[in-house]
Amino acid sequence: MPSSISPKDRLIVSLDLPALEPAEAMIERLGDSVTFYKIGYQLVYAGGLPLAQKLRAAGKKVFIDVKLHDIGNTVKSGIESLSSLGATFVTVHAYPQTMQAAVEGRGNSGLKILAVTVLTSYDQADMEAAGYRHTVADLVAIRARQAKAIGIDGLVCSPEEVAAVRAIVGDQMSLVTPGIRPAGSAAGDQKRIMTPSRAIKLGADYLVVGRPIMQAAEPKAVADAIQAEIGQALN
Ligand code: C5P
Protein backbone atom coordinates (compact mmCIF):
# COMPACT_ATOMS: atom_id res chain seq x y z
CA MET A 1 0.00 0.00 0.00
CA PRO A 2 1.49 3.35 -0.99
CA SER A 3 1.40 4.86 2.53
CA SER A 4 3.18 8.04 1.38
CA ILE A 5 0.14 9.32 -0.53
CA SER A 6 -1.08 12.66 0.89
CA PRO A 7 -4.63 12.89 2.30
CA LYS A 8 -5.45 15.30 -0.54
CA ASP A 9 -4.41 12.83 -3.25
CA ARG A 10 -6.43 10.07 -1.60
CA LEU A 11 -9.71 11.76 -2.47
CA ILE A 12 -10.68 11.02 -6.07
CA VAL A 13 -13.57 13.22 -7.13
CA SER A 14 -15.88 11.52 -9.59
CA LEU A 15 -16.89 14.05 -12.28
CA ASP A 16 -20.24 12.42 -12.97
CA LEU A 17 -21.67 15.30 -14.96
CA PRO A 18 -23.43 15.36 -18.35
CA ALA A 19 -21.17 17.67 -20.33
CA LEU A 20 -17.84 19.46 -20.46
CA GLU A 21 -19.25 22.82 -19.40
CA PRO A 22 -20.58 21.75 -15.96
CA ALA A 23 -17.49 19.56 -15.48
CA GLU A 24 -15.14 22.46 -16.13
CA ALA A 25 -17.24 24.70 -13.87
CA MET A 26 -17.03 22.07 -11.10
CA ILE A 27 -13.23 21.77 -11.53
CA GLU A 28 -13.01 25.56 -11.30
CA ARG A 29 -15.13 25.61 -8.11
CA LEU A 30 -13.04 22.87 -6.50
CA GLY A 31 -9.84 24.71 -7.43
CA ASP A 32 -6.68 23.70 -5.58
CA SER A 33 -8.67 21.58 -3.10
CA VAL A 34 -8.92 18.61 -5.44
CA THR A 35 -5.90 16.99 -7.10
CA PHE A 36 -7.41 13.78 -8.47
CA TYR A 37 -10.42 13.41 -10.79
CA LYS A 38 -12.29 10.42 -12.07
CA ILE A 39 -13.85 10.62 -15.54
CA GLY A 40 -16.43 7.90 -16.18
CA TYR A 41 -18.91 6.82 -18.85
CA GLN A 42 -21.06 9.92 -18.74
CA LEU A 43 -18.22 12.32 -19.46
CA VAL A 44 -15.95 10.06 -21.52
CA TYR A 45 -18.66 9.95 -24.18
CA ALA A 46 -19.15 13.73 -23.96
CA GLY A 47 -15.61 14.97 -24.58
CA GLY A 48 -14.03 13.63 -21.40
CA LEU A 49 -10.77 12.38 -22.91
CA PRO A 50 -9.62 15.83 -24.10
CA LEU A 51 -10.68 17.07 -20.65
CA ALA A 52 -8.40 14.42 -19.12
CA GLN A 53 -5.51 15.84 -21.15
CA LYS A 54 -6.41 19.34 -19.98
CA LEU A 55 -6.45 18.19 -16.36
CA ARG A 56 -3.04 16.56 -16.83
CA ALA A 57 -1.68 19.80 -18.30
CA ALA A 58 -2.99 21.59 -15.18
CA GLY A 59 -1.07 19.15 -12.96
CA LYS A 60 -4.07 17.07 -11.83
CA LYS A 61 -4.16 13.29 -11.66
CA VAL A 62 -6.76 11.45 -13.71
CA PHE A 63 -8.61 8.18 -13.34
CA ILE A 64 -10.37 6.97 -16.51
CA ASP A 65 -13.25 4.81 -15.29
CA VAL A 66 -14.32 2.95 -18.42
CA LYS A 67 -14.60 -0.52 -16.84
CA LEU A 68 -13.44 -2.34 -19.98
CA HIS A 69 -14.51 -5.89 -20.69
CA ASP A 70 -14.19 -7.46 -24.16
CA ILE A 71 -12.11 -10.06 -25.96
CA GLY A 72 -8.45 -9.89 -24.96
CA ASN A 73 -7.14 -8.33 -28.17
CA THR A 74 -9.66 -5.49 -27.99
CA VAL A 75 -8.97 -4.79 -24.31
CA LYS A 76 -5.21 -4.82 -24.94
CA SER A 77 -5.39 -2.38 -27.84
CA GLY A 78 -7.86 -0.14 -25.99
CA ILE A 79 -5.50 0.09 -23.04
CA GLU A 80 -2.57 0.77 -25.41
CA SER A 81 -4.47 3.75 -26.84
CA LEU A 82 -5.44 5.04 -23.39
CA SER A 83 -1.89 4.78 -22.08
CA SER A 84 -0.84 7.89 -24.03
CA LEU A 85 -3.24 10.12 -22.02
CA GLY A 86 -1.04 10.37 -18.95
CA ALA A 87 -3.77 9.02 -16.68
CA THR A 88 -2.88 7.35 -13.39
CA PHE A 89 -5.65 4.74 -13.33
CA VAL A 90 -7.98 2.97 -15.73
CA THR A 91 -10.57 0.34 -14.79
CA VAL A 92 -11.38 -3.06 -16.26
CA HIS A 93 -13.80 -5.66 -14.96
CA ALA A 94 -12.04 -8.38 -12.97
CA TYR A 95 -12.38 -11.24 -15.46
CA PRO A 96 -9.10 -13.16 -15.88
CA GLN A 97 -8.82 -12.76 -19.68
CA THR A 98 -9.64 -9.09 -19.47
CA MET A 99 -7.16 -8.43 -16.65
CA GLN A 100 -4.38 -10.32 -18.46
CA ALA A 101 -4.96 -8.34 -21.65
CA ALA A 102 -5.02 -5.04 -19.76
CA VAL A 103 -1.68 -5.76 -18.08
CA GLU A 104 -0.18 -6.59 -21.49
CA GLY A 105 -1.66 -3.40 -22.98
CA ARG A 106 -0.33 -1.07 -20.32
CA GLY A 107 3.22 -2.46 -20.67
CA ASN A 108 5.65 -0.07 -19.01
CA SER A 109 3.56 3.03 -19.78
CA GLY A 110 3.00 4.09 -16.16
CA LEU A 111 -0.78 3.70 -16.48
CA LYS A 112 -2.05 1.57 -13.61
CA ILE A 113 -4.79 -0.99 -14.10
CA LEU A 114 -7.54 -1.20 -11.50
CA ALA A 115 -9.84 -4.20 -11.63
CA VAL A 116 -13.44 -3.85 -10.47
CA THR A 117 -14.28 -6.86 -8.28
CA VAL A 118 -18.06 -6.59 -7.83
CA LEU A 119 -19.91 -3.32 -8.43
CA THR A 120 -20.83 -1.61 -5.18
CA SER A 121 -24.44 -1.24 -6.31
CA TYR A 122 -24.78 -5.06 -6.22
CA ASP A 123 -26.18 -6.90 -3.25
CA GLN A 124 -26.90 -10.62 -2.93
CA ALA A 125 -30.25 -10.41 -4.74
CA ASP A 126 -28.61 -8.63 -7.69
CA MET A 127 -25.90 -11.34 -7.80
CA GLU A 128 -28.53 -14.05 -8.02
CA ALA A 129 -30.50 -12.15 -10.66
CA ALA A 130 -27.28 -11.89 -12.71
CA GLY A 131 -26.79 -15.66 -12.50
CA TYR A 132 -23.87 -15.80 -10.07
CA ARG A 133 -23.71 -18.78 -7.70
CA HIS A 134 -21.30 -17.05 -5.30
CA THR A 135 -21.96 -14.63 -2.51
CA VAL A 136 -20.65 -11.09 -3.08
CA ALA A 137 -17.85 -11.75 -0.56
CA ASP A 138 -16.78 -15.00 -2.22
CA LEU A 139 -16.71 -13.53 -5.71
CA VAL A 140 -14.73 -10.52 -4.48
CA ALA A 141 -12.19 -12.88 -2.87
CA ILE A 142 -11.88 -15.07 -5.99
CA ARG A 143 -11.36 -12.05 -8.22
CA ALA A 144 -8.88 -10.42 -5.81
CA ARG A 145 -6.71 -13.55 -5.86
CA GLN A 146 -6.84 -13.74 -9.66
CA ALA A 147 -5.99 -10.04 -10.00
CA LYS A 148 -2.95 -10.42 -7.78
CA ALA A 149 -1.71 -13.49 -9.67
CA ILE A 150 -2.08 -11.63 -13.00
CA GLY A 151 -0.15 -8.56 -11.81
CA ILE A 152 -3.00 -6.04 -11.68
CA ASP A 153 -1.98 -2.77 -9.95
CA GLY A 154 -5.03 -2.26 -7.77
CA LEU A 155 -8.64 -3.11 -7.11
CA VAL A 156 -11.88 -1.22 -6.89
CA CYS A 157 -13.95 -2.71 -4.11
CA SER A 158 -16.64 -1.82 -1.64
CA PRO A 159 -15.40 -0.29 1.62
CA GLU A 160 -17.04 -3.25 3.38
CA GLU A 161 -14.64 -5.58 1.59
CA VAL A 162 -11.44 -3.57 1.98
CA ALA A 163 -10.11 -5.42 5.02
CA ALA A 164 -10.76 -8.87 3.54
CA VAL A 165 -9.30 -7.84 0.18
CA ARG A 166 -6.22 -6.32 1.80
CA ALA A 167 -5.64 -9.62 3.62
CA ILE A 168 -5.68 -11.41 0.26
CA VAL A 169 -3.63 -9.05 -1.91
CA GLY A 170 -1.10 -7.72 0.63
CA ASP A 171 0.23 -4.18 0.65
CA GLN A 172 1.54 -3.86 -2.91
CA MET A 173 -1.81 -3.28 -4.59
CA SER A 174 -3.81 -0.04 -4.37
CA LEU A 175 -7.33 -0.38 -3.01
CA VAL A 176 -9.82 2.16 -4.30
CA THR A 177 -13.27 2.37 -2.77
CA PRO A 178 -16.41 4.04 -4.11
CA GLY A 179 -19.62 3.83 -2.08
CA ILE A 180 -18.27 6.49 0.29
CA ARG A 181 -20.78 8.67 2.07
CA PRO A 182 -19.87 11.34 4.62
CA ALA A 183 -22.15 11.01 7.68
CA GLY A 184 -25.62 12.33 6.82
CA SER A 185 -25.44 12.18 2.99
CA ALA A 186 -27.83 10.18 0.78
CA ALA A 187 -26.84 6.66 -0.34
CA GLY A 188 -28.34 6.95 -3.87
CA ASP A 189 -28.09 3.55 -5.62
CA GLN A 190 -25.04 2.45 -3.60
CA LYS A 191 -25.94 -0.53 -1.40
CA ARG A 192 -22.67 -1.05 0.45
CA ILE A 193 -21.59 2.34 1.81
CA MET A 194 -19.22 3.67 4.49
CA THR A 195 -17.85 6.96 5.86
CA PRO A 196 -14.44 8.22 4.63
CA SER A 197 -12.80 7.76 8.01
CA ARG A 198 -13.91 4.16 8.44
CA ALA A 199 -12.87 3.17 4.89
CA ILE A 200 -9.37 4.62 5.42
CA LYS A 201 -9.01 2.90 8.80
CA LEU A 202 -9.92 -0.41 7.19
CA GLY A 203 -7.11 0.01 4.66
CA ALA A 204 -8.44 1.86 1.61
CA ASP A 205 -5.76 3.84 -0.25
CA TYR A 206 -8.10 6.04 -2.31
CA LEU A 207 -11.73 7.05 -1.87
CA VAL A 208 -13.93 7.82 -4.87
CA VAL A 209 -16.67 10.32 -4.12
CA GLY A 210 -19.24 11.50 -6.65
CA ARG A 211 -22.72 12.63 -5.71
CA PRO A 212 -21.93 13.85 -2.17
CA ILE A 213 -19.66 16.45 -3.85
CA MET A 214 -21.39 16.91 -7.25
CA GLN A 215 -24.77 17.56 -5.65
CA ALA A 216 -23.57 19.67 -2.71
CA ALA A 217 -24.46 23.34 -2.36
CA GLU A 218 -20.80 23.91 -1.45
CA PRO A 219 -18.76 21.19 -3.22
CA LYS A 220 -15.38 22.60 -2.17
CA ALA A 221 -16.38 22.58 1.50
CA VAL A 222 -17.45 18.93 1.24
CA ALA A 223 -14.18 17.96 -0.51
CA ASP A 224 -12.12 19.82 2.10
CA ALA A 225 -14.04 18.12 4.93
CA ILE A 226 -13.50 14.66 3.42
CA GLN A 227 -9.76 15.29 3.03
CA ALA A 228 -9.57 16.52 6.64
CA GLU A 229 -11.40 13.38 7.75
CA ILE A 230 -8.94 11.24 5.74
CA GLY A 231 -6.01 13.04 7.37
CA GLN A 232 -7.41 12.41 10.85
CA ALA A 233 -8.10 8.75 10.09
CA LEU A 234 -4.49 8.26 8.96
CA ASN A 235 -3.09 9.66 12.23
O1 C5P B 1 -21.91 9.24 -6.64
P1 C5P B 1 -21.08 8.16 -6.03
O2 C5P B 1 -20.17 8.68 -4.91
O3 C5P B 1 -21.86 6.96 -5.65
O4 C5P B 1 -20.09 7.78 -7.23
C1 C5P B 1 -19.29 6.65 -7.20
C2 C5P B 1 -18.55 6.53 -8.49
O5 C5P B 1 -17.77 5.36 -8.42
C3 C5P B 1 -19.44 6.39 -9.73
O6 C5P B 1 -18.79 7.09 -10.80
C4 C5P B 1 -19.47 4.92 -10.01
O7 C5P B 1 -19.57 4.60 -11.37
C5 C5P B 1 -18.09 4.50 -9.50
N1 C5P B 1 -17.95 3.10 -9.12
C6 C5P B 1 -18.78 2.46 -8.21
N2 C5P B 1 -18.61 1.15 -7.92
C7 C5P B 1 -17.62 0.46 -8.47
C8 C5P B 1 -16.76 1.09 -9.37
C9 C5P B 1 -16.95 2.43 -9.66
O8 C5P B 1 -19.66 3.09 -7.66
N3 C5P B 1 -17.45 -0.81 -8.13
Side-chain angles (χ1 to χ4, degrees), residues 15 22-32 37 51 55 60:
L15 281 173
E24 300 208 45
M26 179 60 72
I27 294 163
E28 180 75 29
R29 283 183 83 178
L30 293 168
D32 290 338
Y37 285 100
L51 177 65
L55 283 166
K60 305 290 185 189

Side-chain angles (χ1 to χ4, degrees), residues 35-116:
T35 55
F36 211 151
Y37 285 100
K38 181 169 89 68
I39 296 178
Y41 284 7
Q42 193 178 18
L43 209 49
V44 159
Y45 297 121
L49 296 183
L51 177 65
Q53 285 169 312
K54 231 171 143 177
L55 283 166
R56 289 297 299 137
K60 305 290 185 189
K61 295 186 177 64
V62 177
F63 171 177
I64 305 292
D65 189 14
V66 282
K67 297 188 181 74
L68 299 182
H69 181 45
D70 205 317
I71 59 169
N73 186 59
T74 302
V75 171
K76 182 174 177 235
S77 45
I79 295 286
E80 278 167 359
S81 295
L82 276 170
S83 64
S84 64
L85 273 179
T88 301
F89 291 136
V90 64
T91 40
V92 301
H93 281 286
Y95 290 78
Q97 262 190 23
T98 296
M99 293 193 286
Q100 187 67 53
V103 166
E104 286 167 22
R106 70 115 151 79
N108 298 319
S109 65
L111 175 65
K112 293 192 170 66
I113 310 293
L114 298 178
V116 178

Side-chain angles (χ1 to χ4, degrees), residues 23-223:
E24 300 208 45
M26 179 60 72
I27 294 163
E28 180 75 29
R29 283 183 83 178
L30 293 168
D32 290 338
S33 286
V34 171
T35 55
F36 211 151
Y37 285 100
K38 181 169 89 68
I39 296 178
Y41 284 7
Q42 193 178 18
L43 209 49
V44 159
Y45 297 121
L49 296 183
L51 177 65
Q53 285 169 312
K54 231 171 143 177
L55 283 166
R56 289 297 299 137
K60 305 290 185 189
K61 295 186 177 64
V62 177
F63 171 177
I64 305 292
D65 189 14
V66 282
K67 297 188 181 74
L68 299 182
H69 181 45
D70 205 317
I71 59 169
N73 186 59
T74 302
V75 171
K76 182 174 177 235
S77 45
I79 295 286
E80 278 167 359
S81 295
L82 276 170
S83 64
S84 64
L85 273 179
T88 301
F89 291 136
V90 64
T91 40
V92 301
H93 281 286
Y95 290 78
Q97 262 190 23
T98 296
M99 293 193 286
Q100 187 67 53
V103 166
E104 286 167 22
R106 70 115 151 79
N108 298 319
S109 65
L111 175 65
K112 293 192 170 66
I113 310 293
L114 298 178
V116 178
T117 53
V118 176
L119 293 169
T120 48
S121 60
Y122 271 54
D123 63 14
Q124 199 52 44
D126 297 309
M127 295 283 288
E128 282 160 28
Y132 289 102
R133 284 180 289 115
H134 298 288
T135 62
V136 173
D138 285 349
L139 191 55
V140 168
I142 290 166
R143 290 179 169 175
R145 266 184 226 107
Q146 291 169 334
K148 187 180 182 193
I150 288 167
I152 286 288
D153 304 294
L155 293 171
V156 180
C157 59
S158 144
E160 284 177 15
E161 285 130 16
V162 164
V165 169
R166 179 65 75 198
I168 293 168
V169 302
D171 57 11
Q172 294 306 305
M173 283 170 71
S174 299
L175 298 187
V176 180
T177 61
I180 296 296
R181 292 292 178 268
S185 53
D189 64 348
Q190 298 282 17
K191 289 182 180 160
R192 292 174 285 141
I193 58 169
M194 196 175 281
T195 62
S197 150
R198 180 115 184 91
I200 289 287
K201 284 184 181 152
L202 287 171
D205 296 304
Y206 297 90
L207 309 183
V208 172
V209 183
R211 285 163 288 184
I213 294 175
M214 293 302 108
Q215 296 175 357
E218 298 289 344
K220 187 176 183 304
V222 177

